[in-house]
Amino acid sequence: MADKNDALEAFRAEARAWLEENVPQSLRGNPDKVLEAFMAGEKPTGDFDLWRRRMGEKGWGAPTWPKAYCGGGLSPAQARVLAQEMAAMGVANPIIGMGTSMFGPTLLEYGTEEQKQRHIPSIVRGDLRWCQGYSEPGAGSDLAALQTKLEDAGDHWVVNGQKIWTSGAQWADWCFCLVRTDTSRKHEGISFVLINMRQPGVETRPIRLIAGNSPFCETFFTNARVEKTDMVGPLNGGWTIGKRLLQHERSGQGGGGRVMGGGASLPGLLETYWTQPDGEEDIRTRMVGNLVDARAHALTLQRAASEAKGNQNPSAATSIMKNSGTRIGQEKAELTLELMGAQGLGWEGEAFTADERGAVRGWLSGKATTIYGGSFEIQNNIISKRILGLPDPTKSA
Ligand SMILES: Cc1cc2nc3c(=O)[nH]c(=O)nc-3n(C[C@H](O)[C@H](O)[C@H](O)COP(=O)(O)OP(=O)(O)OC[C@H]3O[C@@H](n4cnc5c(N)ncnc54)[C@H](O)[C@@H]3O)c2cc1C
């Protein structure tokens, strides 16, 4: 045990020294700087690009992925130490997005050796962006109703159809996509393919959101080309792979350590903004409730991670984490606005600080967290069916 701790402490010193040498000064002290640079969507530039290239080269952006595919090759315990050291420096991992959070882990589990060699290293380096082509105008919660069609064209496949709510499609190089390959069967007629977004048969139209930005698109495929080597898993065997990917997506949304809802501390906001005695007891009670829930959620995640030991694959329990993490985050966003009072209603202009403007936008965009990755109600259905073993009310006895 002592040896193990010594080895981890030696790794901590190594990680700290490497971070000290490689994290640009301008990105330290606030992890949101990296997230904002990534969300801006354009090709990475300046210090963000420098940090991305250094981390990508080191492989620590995907710390536990195998070295054979340029990953960090770290143990889960070492990865936790690295995350702690980055948190202490106030810098975020620049290798983010759907490549590392959803697609990469799924491809590592289901891809062929050739597919892994071709796609994983560029994800680890953060060179290419991925988007998720699941939802369609007629297929959201009932995802298996999807119609986008993939047909055999001899030496390649051809895809036709429309996806919707495709986050970051306008900036993506590749799309992991669920397509219909057999119209006579529902779940068993779906395949999982990889589509190059940089080709003439792909069109994206950004959709403007209530929070003022356009983070997602309608995506149209018109005779777009898919290589024969870019189907993951067997023909008509995409549903299982697609579901596994959703578990990875939900495990990220469940907090993965941090509950959404903004970084401001609620007690700090109370001290700065709350002036009236009326209602103070009530808001304190609700604030404490939210802080206790957030702490319990974080500890539950920690316990689940240590109980899982070597087994890193997510399960249906990610639905519980997603629902609790997103609800706690939404409550926190509500409390933040309430504590800020009129200052929490600013949209633009100098009368409001950047944090105040960010709070109202965060509150609005936070509404989406209980929709994407499968809605709150759909997670409850999964929990009742797969975890509690309750009968499915849509099937007659
Ligand atoms: C910000 C954002 C980003 C997104 N990004 C992506 C992306 O990158 N790629 C992608 O493919 N999709 C993406 N989505 C789409 C998302 O996955 C869907 O919106 C979601 O699955 C719900 O589908 P829907 O919008 O069609 O709603 P519907 O399925 O029409 O549901 C409407 C309402 O009915 C409820 N409902 C439906 N069926 C049931 C049921 N059986 N039992 C109980 N309640 C039910 C739902 O909970 C919901 O409240 C994104 C969505 C948002 C908001």
Side-chain angles (χ1 to χ4, degrees):
M1 188 65 161
D3 284 356
K4 215 167 156 187
N5 284 342
D6 289 349
L8 264 190
E9 285 316 302
F11 175 74
R12 185 183 297 283
E14 179 194 334
R16 193 175 291 168
W18 187 84
L19 292 169
E20 195 51 60
E21 200 171 315
N22 288 283
V23 178
Q25 287 295 338
S26 69
L27 297 178
R28 299 183 189 194
N30 181 358
D32 288 346
K33 288 182 190 164
V34 166
L35 303 180
E36 278 158 20
F38 179 81
M39 289 306 287
E42 308 303 334
K43 284 278 171 216
T45 54
D47 278 353
F48 172 60
D49 190 39
L50 181 66
W51 175 218
R52 174 193 69 89
R53 283 186 282 111
R54 287 176 175 169
M55 193 67 151
E57 197 59 37
K58 185 79 174 164
W60 282 1
T64 58
W65 292 10
K67 281 202 160 171
Y69 310 112
C70 305
L74 302 182
S75 67
Q78 286 175 319
R80 273 197 296 278
V81 166
L82 176 63
Q84 286 161 3
E85 289 303 314
M86 286 179 26
M89 191 177 265
V91 68
N93 181 356
I95 311 295
I96 40 182
M98 295 185 184
T100 41
S101 62
M102 305 180 206
F103 174 60
T106 311
L107 193 72
L108 283 170
E109 190 178 351
Y110 289 98
T112 62
E113 186 55 29
E114 188 271 336
Q115 287 169 335
K116 290 188 240 183
Q117 292 290 354
R118 194 147 74 91
H119 293 294
I120 299 287
S122 62
I123 294 174
V124 173
R125 288 194 302 270
D127 284 344
L128 299 176
R129 286 195 177 215
W130 286 81
C131 67
Q132 176 185 36
Y134 276 31
S135 306
E136 297 183 6
S141 298
D142 185 12
L143 183 58
L146 61 93
Q147 299 291 330
T148 294
K149 208 169 181 181
L150 187 86
E151 288 169 302
D152 201 332
D155 65 341
H156 64 282
W157 306 98
V158 163
V159 61
N160 281 287
Q162 185 197 341
K163 296 288 173 181
I164 196 163
W165 319 125
T166 332
S167 298
Q170 68 271 54
W171 306 305
D173 302 286
W174 282 85
C175 177
F176 50 89
C177 196
L178 290 176
V179 289
R180 181 143 305 282
T181 37
D182 183 344
T183 50
S184 67
R185 295 178 298 168
K186 196 172 178 184
H187 299 80
E188 297 80 18
I190 291 172
S191 300
F192 189 108
V193 290
L194 313 179
I195 303 177
N196 186 339
M197 295 289 281
R198 310 277 183 202
Q199 58 167 310
V202 178
E203 187 196 345
T204 56
R205 294 185 200 155
I207 303 169
R208 199 171 160 80
L209 265 185
I210 193 173
N213 52 353
S214 299
F216 55 21
C217 299
E218 292 177 287
T219 305
F220 299 87
F221 299 113
T222 311
N223 291 327
R225 184 183 170 106
V226 177
E227 300 306 328
K228 281 276 159 100
T229 48
D230 281 332
M231 181 174 286
V232 181
L235 181 68
N236 296 320
W239 185 246
T240 307
I241 301 171
K243 275 195 305 182
R244 168 65 91 205
L245 185 134
L246 283 174
Q247 289 179 340
H248 285 292
E249 178 174 10
R250 288 164 193 157
S251 72
Q253 290 164 354
R258 125 182 169 135
V259 163
M260 294 175 231
S265 117
L266 294 178
L269 291 173
L270 183 80
E271 212 175 301
T272 310
Y273 290 97
W274 198 263
T275 48
Q276 76 243 33
D278 283 356
E280 185 169 333
E281 194 180 328
D282 170 62
I283 195 133
R284 276 181 184 274
T285 306
R286 285 185 289 129
M287 235 174 66
V288 169
N290 183 263
L291 289 168
V292 169
D293 286 350
R295 184 80 186 119
H297 178 77
L299 290 172
T300 308
L301 282 173
Q302 248 177 44
R303 198 194 65 221
S306 63
E307 278 173 6
K309 299 220 166 75
N311 176 15
Q312 289 189 55
N313 282 329
S315 67
T318 52
S319 294
I320 303 179
M321 299 306 176
K322 180 184 187 243
N323 273 3
S324 74
T326 51
R327 268 293 159 95
I328 295 165
Q330 287 178 346
E331 270 168 27
K332 183 178 176 194
E334 295 271 346
L335 284 162
T336 299
L337 289 205
E338 217 176 315
L339 287 164
M340 284 181 169
Q343 288 307 110
L345 299 174
W347 193 250
E348 54 193 7
E350 285 172 12
F352 302 98
T353 65
D355 282 351
E356 289 164 353
R357 292 192 301 267
V360 73
R361 283 166 202 269
W363 171 70
L364 286 168
S365 57
K367 302 283 176 203
T369 59
T370 42
I371 302 173
Y372 58 68
S375 69
F376 189 79
E377 292 75 18
I378 293 301
Q379 303 318 304
N380 279 342
N381 285 350
I382 295 173
I383 293 165
S384 62
K385 209 163 119 186
R386 305 225 180 280
I387 299 176
L388 302 176
L390 299 179
D392 184 346
T394 61
K395 295 202 176 109
S396 52

